[in-house]
């Protein structure tokens, strides 16, 4: 660790040190002042003061430095006497204050110490440094205050440092006086991620592991002291490297002694919870009313130990939470978690909160725990399958086989295992089904097994399983129809489309006659999927809507409704009906929030990214993708879509290294039939884009080959219309006329199969226009994409039109079309597309004019996207992230990403500074 006297700027504090050094140089020239350094414990206040003192010593200034302490708060002038220790006149002051000094003697001592400082200033410029002002006695603060009001006219620089807790009225008055007199307030904010990285490298060297950096970022919360402790402490017994070493936890626990006993107890109670804690939860867990908790919570927030985010409180430093828990013996901690679970359950907290406490209590296996799981396991398996699986497995393993609740919990364990896509889940559910004594439970487990097999792409096994079930006596007419609907679903995925549609039609008719909402919704879902595979998309949307309406009548069908809404949003967007798609998506988002399903929330984020990408809102798409990545989901299609689209956006923006890194996360394994292929259009386009960018058009063409493979094309459905025009272009560029003709014919066939889908007709016109260099065909595509607001497709069609016009000698018109294309690309930040367009047109004698030379700013207010501007304005109004999310119909994680982008682009560090930028940008009046 660096010594206190180092002259090197503390990492991440270079600007703050420069401000302090400027004040020191000013006093050297005879101009005094007052500096107050503010920051949480461990923020680097003392380190900064030492670096400033070193600068003062270099300039030959007289320096007196001291520090207040908690023991001296009742001893008049103890802080200033420590600062001026060694001077002969201090002995007079001490003698004057001997014994129990009356008020008059304290006043006289205050006058003498003040005179001493003024006399020292008269001899030479003076720098007076006092650390830990929060502990200073009242007399010392009085002298400091008086000196600060006159420092500007003297060769005197007062430099004080304080932490925010404990709050002192005298210190608050001192800070207010500083602001009024134009003094310098240096607030040491937490280190940014980049500043933290630099400090880790400084402490450990460039060879520091990425795992260490991740751990430090997660645990230190930007606190320099915690960063140093985590990097320099000897490794503990933690094998995965995610937790702090025991030595660090002991050291951190020792730094919390400044808290009041009440604040420490409340903070330790908050540490029991895995994630953010609400005041309502604290009220329940502590048994104290909110009005009593308020001052305690305010103390903890002021100490920068908890951050208030909307209605929640979050630990700023993960290492503090770990230290609080590590200080509890294991049996006591387990008992506290178990008691917390019951308290939260009685307070009707979210099931995930209760389950987290139960899982953290290894000995919690009593009757109450089992009863709670029987009641809530189904919701828990939907909202947090990994948590549910771990808790249910532990509970089931400890139950007798004769326990009447075991079968129910095993069924929910199977549902959680399938939600996690575990390889052994099918065998587990099949075993549970085979030994289920009750016909209704056996049917429920069979349906779960079939759905799970479909989800993991085992379509033939799913069909065999459901056909076996249909041969057995059905426990009810509803189950017979549901199995028929599942059979239709399996047939559709096995490319037996006509048979699937016929079976699904039968299921729909029988379900309507029964009137059961769950059965009706399942039958409509199966028919919509069969119709999608048959390329009867408009009919499919109608049946999706019917399934959604049926599912509204039953809470049991909530997850199916969510699935139908996401399908509907995705299909409507593919039909170029984005407003309707967005409405379906927002209903899905709200339902996903209510159910708390991680898988479905990730699906909402991913679908939102698709809508945003094709509508040209790429920053929004990137924020949605980041939100989807942050959620734990086992769906195989999710990384295909998320990493594929990320790579595609990065590729268009010519950030090739990052794009390849994103693609590398997927590996080279072939995609399984079904949902993974259905969501692979962006992945295929990204692979083709990067290959073309590397000068390999033939390799790019091969990357798009799946669009012409029958079974793969069936999975891609409407998405392949976005691949075929590039296939035609690349095939012509490589002299592969046969491939170009095949792609053109495929697109024409798709359009003919769905005459009501104008988007397919536009894609077919673009393919033929490319093949024949026909401007009229390409203008048809341009007109359509402009009307439906598809910027990327519009820019590409304009680029194709420019090439066709140039081939026909219409160079002025070609130049105009190229300029329009480049303007579109500029609005998207698509640098590679601009380069490609220029390269295609340059050999034909067409170059751009100056009209398209502008570029989007990367810093400042002009760099904000429209959505980021809206978020910035709401931040300036003091809105919380949840409030902004509700206002703009965004997810909270998306808003968090936007706020991060805003801070980076405006080059500020806090929401307060964002508000200041907005005020400057939009002055009142």
């Amino acid at each position: 660790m660096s010594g206190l006297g180092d002259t090197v700027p503390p990492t991440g504090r270079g600007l703050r040190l420069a401000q302090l050094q400027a004040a020191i140089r000013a006093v050297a020239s005879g101009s005094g002042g007052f500096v107050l350094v503010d920051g949480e414990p461990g923020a680097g206040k003392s380190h900064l003061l030492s670096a400033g003192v070193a600068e003062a010593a270099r300039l030959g200034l007289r320096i007196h430095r001291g520090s207040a302490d908690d023991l001296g708060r009742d001893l008049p002038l103890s802080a200033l006497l420590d600062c001026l220790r060694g001077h002969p006149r201090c002995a007079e002051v001490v003698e004057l204050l001997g014994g129990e000094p009356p008020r008059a003697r304290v006043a006289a001592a205050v006058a003498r110490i003040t005179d001493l400082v003024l006399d020292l200033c008269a001899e030479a410029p003076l720098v007076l440094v006092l650390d830990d002002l929060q502990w200073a006695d009242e007399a010392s603060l009085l002298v400091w205050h008086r000196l600060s009001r006159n420092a500007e006219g003297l060769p005197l620089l007062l430099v004080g440092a304080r932490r925010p807790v404990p709050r002192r009225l005298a210190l608050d008055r001192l800070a207010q006086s500083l602001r009024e007199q134009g003094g310098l307030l240096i607030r040491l904010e937490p280190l940014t991620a980049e500043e933290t990285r630099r400090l880790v490298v400084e402490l450990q060297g460039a060879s520091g592991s990425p795992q260490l950096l991740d751990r430090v970022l997660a645990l230190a919360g930007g606190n320099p002291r915690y960063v140093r402790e985590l990097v320099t402490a000897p490794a503990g017994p933690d094998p995965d490297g995610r937790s702090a070493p025991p030595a660090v936890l002991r050291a951190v626990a020792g730094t919390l002694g400044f808290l009041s006993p009440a604040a420490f107890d409340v903070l330790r109670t908050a540490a029991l919870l895995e994630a953010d804690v609400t005041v309502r939860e604290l009220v329940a867990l502590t048994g104290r009313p909110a009005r009593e908790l308020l001052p305690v919570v305010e103390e903890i927030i002021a100490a920068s130990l908890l951050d208030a985010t909307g209605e929640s409180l979050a630990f700023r430093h993960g290492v503090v939470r770990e230290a609080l828990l590590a200080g509890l013996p294991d049996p006591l901690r387990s008992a506290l978690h178990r008691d917390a679970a019951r308290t939260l359950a009685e307070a009707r907290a979210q099931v995930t909160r209760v389950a987290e406490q139960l899982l953290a209590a290894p000995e919690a296996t009593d009757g109450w725990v089992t009863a709670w799981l029987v009641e809530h396991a189904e919701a828990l398996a939907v909202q947090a399958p990994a948590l549910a699986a771990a808790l249910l497995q532990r509970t089931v393993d400890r139950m007798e086989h004769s326990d009447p609740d075991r079968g129910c919990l095993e069924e929910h364990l199977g549902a959680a295992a399938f939600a996690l896509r575990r390889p052994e889940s099918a065998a587990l559910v099949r075993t549970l089904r085979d030994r289920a004594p009750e016909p209704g439970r056996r049917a429920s487990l069979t349906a779960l097994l079939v759905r799970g097999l479909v989800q993991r792409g085992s379509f033939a096994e799913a069909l065999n399983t459901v056909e076996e079930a249909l041969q057995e006596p059905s426990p009810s007419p509803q189950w017979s129809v549901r199995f028929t609907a599942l059979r239709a679903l399996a047939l559709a995925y096995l490319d037996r489309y006509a048979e699937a549609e016929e079976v699904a039609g039968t299921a729909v008719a029988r379900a309507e006659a029964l009137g059961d909402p769950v059965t009706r919704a399942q039958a409509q879902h199966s028919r919509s999927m069969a119709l999608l595979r048959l390329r009867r998309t408009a009919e499919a949307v109608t049946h999706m809507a019917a399934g959604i309406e049926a599912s509204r009548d039953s809470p049991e069908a909530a997850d199916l409704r969510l699935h139908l809404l996401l399908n509907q949003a995705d299909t409507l967007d593919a039909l170029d009906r984005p407003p309707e798609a967005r409405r379906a998506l927002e209903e899905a988002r709200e339902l996903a929030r209510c159910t708390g399903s991680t898988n479905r929330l990730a699906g909402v984020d991913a679908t939102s990214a698709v809508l945003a990408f094709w509508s040209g809102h790429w920053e929004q798409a990137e924020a949605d993708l980041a939100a989807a990545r942050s959620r734990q989901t086992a769906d195989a299609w999710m990384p295909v879509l998320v990493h594929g689209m990320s790579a595609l956006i990065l590729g268009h923006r010519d950030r090739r290294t990052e794009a390849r890194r994103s693609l590398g996360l997927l590996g080279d394994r072939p995609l399984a039939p079904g949902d993974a292929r259905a969501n692979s259009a962006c992945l295929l386009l990204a692979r083709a884009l990067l290959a073309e960018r590397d000068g390999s058009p033939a390799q790019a063409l091969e990357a798009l080959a799946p669009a012409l493979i029958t079974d793969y094309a069936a999975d891609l459905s409407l998405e392949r219309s976005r691949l075929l025009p590039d296939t035609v272009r690349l095939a012509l560029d490589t002299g592969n006329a046969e491939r170009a003709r095949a792609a053109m014919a495929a697109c024409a066939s798709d359009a003919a199969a769905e005459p009501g889908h104008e988007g397919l007709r536009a894609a077919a016109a673009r393919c033929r226009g490319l093949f024949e260099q026909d401007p009229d065909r390409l203008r048809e595509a341009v007109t359509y994409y402009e009307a439906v607001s598809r910027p990327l497709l519009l820019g590409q069609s304009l680029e194709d039109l420019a090439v066709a016009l140039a081939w026909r000698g219409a160079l002025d018109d070609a130049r105009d079309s190229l300029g329009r294309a480049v303007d579109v690309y500029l609005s998207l930040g698509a640098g590679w597309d601009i380069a490609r367009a220029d390269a295609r047109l340059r050999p034909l004698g067409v170059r751009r004019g100056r009209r398209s030379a502008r570029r989007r700013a990367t810093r400042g207010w002009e760099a904000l996207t429209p959505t980021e501007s809206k978020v910035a304005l709401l931040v300036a109004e003091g809105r919380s992230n949840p409030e902004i999310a509700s206002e703009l119909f965004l997810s909270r994680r998306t808003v968090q990403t936007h706020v991060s982008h805003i801070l980076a682009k405006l080059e500020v560090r806090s929401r307060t500074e964002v508000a200041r930028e907005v005020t400057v940008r939009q002055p009142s009046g």
Side-chain angles (χ1 to χ4, degrees):
M1 190 176 294
S2 302
L4 288 178
D6 291 350
T7 58
V8 178
T11 299
R13 307 304 191 200
L15 174 61
R16 304 311 184 197
L17 178 59
Q19 293 175 311
L20 178 57
Q21 288 174 331
I24 290 170
R25 287 192 292 272
V27 77
S29 302
S31 178
F34 177 23
V35 179
L36 181 61
V37 181
D38 214 345
E40 65 181 275
K45 300 182 295 299
S46 298
H47 202 68
L48 184 70
L49 294 184
S50 295
V53 165
E55 174 67 8
R58 187 184 68 80
L59 295 173
L61 300 178
R62 172 176 285 176
I63 306 162
H64 284 278
R65 179 179 181 178
S67 179
D69 62 69
D70 191 22
L71 297 177
R73 288 180 63 176
D74 296 328
L75 301 176
L77 292 176
S78 60
L80 272 177
L81 287 171
D82 183 75
C83 189
L84 295 166
R85 63 184 178 278
H87 195 283
R89 289 168 60 180
C90 286
E92 301 173 15
V93 177
V94 172
E95 184 179 351
L96 182 61
L97 293 171
E100 291 290 335
R103 183 173 300 178
R105 296 173 68 180
V106 173
V110 164
R112 288 195 185 186
I113 207 83
T114 303
D115 289 342
L116 170 57
V117 173
L118 294 176
D119 290 344
L120 290 173
C121 291
E123 297 172 6
L126 172 66
V127 178
L128 211 59
V129 181
L130 186 53
D131 204 352
D132 285 327
L133 277 172
Q134 75 278 355
W135 302 124
D137 60 278
E138 294 294 332
S140 291
L141 289 178
L142 175 63
V143 174
W144 201 266
H145 194 188
R146 288 178 178 176
L147 291 170
S148 70
R149 300 182 68 175
N150 299 290
E152 190 174 352
L154 299 169
L156 169 66
L157 179 65
L158 296 169
V159 182
R162 69 166 181 175
R163 61 175 64 168
V165 172
R167 292 287 301 274
R168 301 282 301 280
L169 182 60
L171 267 180
D172 290 343
R173 287 199 300 264
L174 196 63
Q176 179 62 31
S177 175
L178 177 145
R179 284 189 286 268
E180 292 171 354
Q181 298 172 58
L184 176 61
L185 175 61
I186 297 177
R187 178 166 283 113
L188 299 184
E189 302 285 356
L191 300 178
T192 65
E194 175 57 26
E195 290 167 344
T196 300
R197 187 196 68 78
R198 292 207 313 268
L199 181 54
V200 170
V201 170
E202 174 188 314
L203 293 169
Q204 198 186 43
S207 60
S209 69
Q211 292 80 6
L212 174 64
L213 177 59
D214 289 344
R215 179 173 65 173
V216 170
L217 287 173
L219 295 177
N223 184 293
R225 175 192 294 168
Y226 297 156
V227 172
R228 287 185 169 87
E229 292 283 0
L230 288 164
V231 173
T232 60
D238 179 31
D240 58 13
R242 288 195 298 267
S243 300
V248 173
L249 296 180
R250 289 192 294 271
V252 171
T255 67
L256 302 177
F258 65 91
L259 287 173
S260 67
F264 184 84
D265 287 344
V266 168
L267 191 65
R268 187 162 58 184
T269 299
L272 291 171
L273 299 178
E274 288 288 330
D276 300 353
V277 59
T278 66
V279 174
R280 180 170 172 265
E281 289 170 335
L282 280 180
V283 168
L285 292 173
T286 62
R288 301 173 64 178
R291 64 178 178 276
E292 290 184 12
L293 276 179
L294 181 60
V296 179
V297 171
E298 286 179 341
E299 177 186 345
I300 298 171
I301 292 174
S304 299
L305 294 171
L306 290 179
D307 279 332
T309 56
E311 298 179 356
S312 299
L313 301 168
F315 273 87
R316 177 175 288 185
H317 320 98
V319 70
V320 171
R321 178 180 177 274
E322 286 194 5
L324 290 165
L325 292 178
L328 296 169
D330 289 344
L332 176 59
R333 190 194 317 177
S334 180
L336 288 172
H337 280 300
R338 195 268 181 209
D339 290 347
R342 186 154 193 170
T343 300
L344 291 172
E346 291 170 352
R348 300 187 180 279
Q350 294 178 349
V351 294
T352 53
R353 305 293 269 175
V354 178
E356 286 166 353
Q357 295 303 298
L358 290 176
L359 192 61
E363 304 306 318
T365 56
D366 55 58
W368 176 85
V369 175
T370 302
W372 183 87
L373 277 172
V374 168
E375 182 179 355
H376 298 287
E378 182 176 3
L380 184 63
V382 170
Q383 295 181 27
L387 178 60
L391 184 56
L392 285 167
Q393 187 71 68
R394 188 181 76 184
T395 304
V396 167
D397 287 346
R398 296 177 180 180
M399 296 176 76
E400 297 292 336
H401 285 284
S402 59
D403 193 313
D405 292 324
R406 180 171 178 137
C408 172
L409 296 185
E410 285 180 334
E411 181 178 345
H412 296 313
L413 173 59
F418 260 130
L420 294 170
R421 311 298 188 261
R422 289 179 175 171
E424 70 276 11
S425 56
L428 169 64
V429 175
R430 197 180 294 277
T431 299
L432 296 176
R433 182 202 61 174
D434 291 344
R435 73 184 187 204
E438 196 266 316
R441 176 155 292 159
R442 178 179 175 83
S444 177
L445 285 165
T446 300
L448 172 62
L449 177 59
V450 173
R451 287 195 297 271
L453 291 169
V454 169
Q455 287 168 353
R456 77 178 195 184
S458 302
F459 306 130
E461 188 179 354
L463 180 62
N464 290 336
T465 302
V466 75
E467 287 182 340
E468 288 173 3
L470 284 167
Q471 297 300 315
E472 298 176 1
S474 174
S476 69
Q478 287 87 351
W479 276 116
S480 177
V481 177
R482 293 180 191 182
F483 285 144
T484 301
L486 287 171
R487 178 170 180 259
L489 191 65
L491 288 167
Y493 275 108
L494 285 168
D495 299 337
R496 293 161 62 177
Y497 314 132
E499 189 178 356
E501 204 279 326
E502 182 181 354
V503 173
T506 301
V508 167
R510 291 174 59 193
E512 292 298 322
L514 288 172
D516 175 61
V518 177
T519 307
R520 289 167 56 210
Q522 288 185 348
Q524 295 287 4
H525 167 60
S526 293
R527 191 165 192 191
S528 70
M529 296 303 294
L531 289 166
L532 278 179
R533 309 287 283 193
L534 283 166
R535 305 305 301 269
R536 290 158 59 182
T537 311
E539 289 181 70
V541 170
T542 300
H543 285 279
M544 289 174 193
I548 291 167
E549 287 306 312
S551 66
R552 295 188 199 281
D553 297 330
S554 172
E556 184 186 344
D559 189 63
L560 180 56
R561 175 155 60 101
L562 224 171
H563 186 53
L564 281 162
L565 283 165
L566 289 175
N567 283 355
Q568 185 184 52
D570 198 36
T571 306
L572 287 169
D573 189 62
L575 288 169
D576 295 323
R577 293 156 61 180
E580 297 171 72
R582 181 60 64 180
R583 284 194 292 273
L585 180 66
E586 292 313 316
E587 184 179 347
R589 190 191 302 279
E590 186 57 34
L591 185 57
R593 285 174 181 164
C594 293
T595 63
S597 169
T598 303
N599 281 358
R600 296 302 187 210
L601 284 166
V604 169
D605 293 328
T607 304
S608 181
V610 172
L611 270 60
F613 175 76
W614 292 111
S615 296
H617 304 300
W618 289 4
E619 284 80 10
Q620 174 68 50
E622 289 180 310
D624 289 331
L625 293 171
R629 273 194 298 269
S630 69
R631 305 189 194 278
Q632 293 184 348
T633 173
D635 285 321
W637 63 268
M638 183 64 67
V640 175
L641 189 151
V642 169
H643 297 313
M645 183 175 290
S646 293
L648 185 57
I649 294 173
L650 292 165
H652 278 296
R653 290 182 165 169
D654 213 18
R655 292 157 60 183
R656 286 176 284 170
T657 301
E658 296 167 80
R660 289 194 186 90
R661 187 181 302 125
S662 190
L663 288 183
L665 296 172
L666 294 171
D668 297 325
R669 289 176 296 178
L671 300 180
D675 290 344
R677 287 182 176 180
N679 289 279
S680 66
C682 287
L683 169 63
L684 301 179
L685 287 168
R687 287 173 174 170
L689 184 152
L690 290 173
E692 184 179 11
R693 183 67 179 87
D694 289 341
S696 302
Q699 185 180 341
L701 179 62
E702 286 309 307
L704 299 177
L708 294 175
I709 300 173
T710 302
D711 60 340
Y712 204 125
D715 283 329
L716 283 170
S717 187
L718 299 179
E719 287 288 297
R720 86 160 176 168
S721 67
R722 291 164 174 168
L723 279 64
L724 293 173
D726 276 336
T727 301
V728 174
R729 176 177 62 80
L730 289 165
L732 293 174
D733 287 349
T734 56
N736 193 336
E738 182 180 353
R739 181 76 63 86
R741 189 174 289 105
M744 180 180 64
C747 204
S749 175
D750 288 349
E754 298 205 48
H757 187 353
E758 298 296 323
L760 291 178
R761 191 166 72 179
R766 185 180 164 205
C767 285
R768 182 166 291 277
L770 276 162
F771 189 81
E772 298 176 352
Q773 291 301 320
D774 183 347
D776 290 336
R777 296 278 189 178
L778 292 166
R779 286 192 185 98
E780 183 181 336
V782 166
T783 300
Y784 177 79
Y785 293 132
E786 196 163 29
V788 297
S789 299
R790 297 301 195 202
L792 179 61
L793 299 176
L794 172 62
Q796 292 171 338
S797 299
L798 285 165
E799 178 188 333
D800 297 337
L801 176 59
V803 172
L805 289 167
W807 271 109
R808 292 173 181 263
L811 298 186
D812 288 342
D813 289 344
R815 186 174 297 108
D816 181 67
S817 187
L818 173 62
R820 290 176 62 195
V822 172
D823 282 346
V824 172
Y825 294 148
L826 282 169
S827 72
L828 297 171
W832 156 239
D833 297 81
I834 295 172
R836 183 195 60 235
D838 285 340
R840 290 178 71 192
L841 272 298
R842 193 177 298 114
L844 301 176
V846 178
R847 295 177 181 271
R848 282 186 283 141
R850 293 184 179 179
R851 64 188 293 276
S852 295
R854 66 184 184 280
R855 292 186 179 274
R856 174 182 285 179
T858 59
R859 288 289 181 268
W861 188 269
E862 292 73 16
L864 301 186
T865 66
T867 302
E868 289 168 352
S869 297
K870 293 177 185 177
V871 172
L873 292 172
L874 292 172
V875 167
E877 292 177 9
R879 306 281 194 96
S880 67
N881 283 1
E883 290 171 333
I884 296 171
S886 177
E887 177 83 12
L888 300 181
F889 299 102
L890 301 172
S891 70
R892 296 184 183 185
R893 290 180 183 272
T894 298
V895 172
Q896 183 178 347
T897 301
H898 281 315
V899 171
S900 298
H901 289 168
I902 290 164
L903 294 173
K905 290 180 180 180
L906 297 183
E907 298 180 307
V908 298
R909 299 169 63 109
S910 68
R911 298 169 80 96
T912 302
E913 291 180 85
V914 172
R916 189 180 304 123
E917 289 292 323
V918 171
T919 303
V920 171
R921 181 77 182 180
Q922 299 181 332
S924 60

